[in-house]
Amino acid sequence: RSTADWVAETTGASWGEAEGRVELAGALHSLPDTAAALVEGRISSSAAANTAVTANAAPDNANRYRRSGTTLYVFKLPG
């Protein structure tokens, strides 16, 4: 049984949503300012997830994201 299984059963979330929550929690260990902003309600869980994905995709810039604790907006370009 996985952590995502437990989260899904405990919260009533779908398994996919639970897995996303677990992955976000793991990613936030390396982004403490982003984690604090999420806990304090300054950013949404979607914004925190976008920050984590962006920081992991651009590891050279990860320290900047860790220090900022701000929201990164990721836009899908038409095309």
Side-chain angles (χ1 to χ4, degrees), residues 19-42:
E19 182 180 39
R21 290 178 184 180
V22 171
E23 289 176 3
L24 177 58
L28 291 176
H29 281 286
S30 64
L31 298 165
D33 292 335
T34 302
L38 177 62
V39 169
E40 294 166 7
R42 293 185 283 132

Side-chain angles (χ1 to χ4, degrees), residues 15-16 24-25 31 44 60 77:
W15 191 88
L24 177 58
L31 298 165
S44 68
D60 292 342
L77 300 175

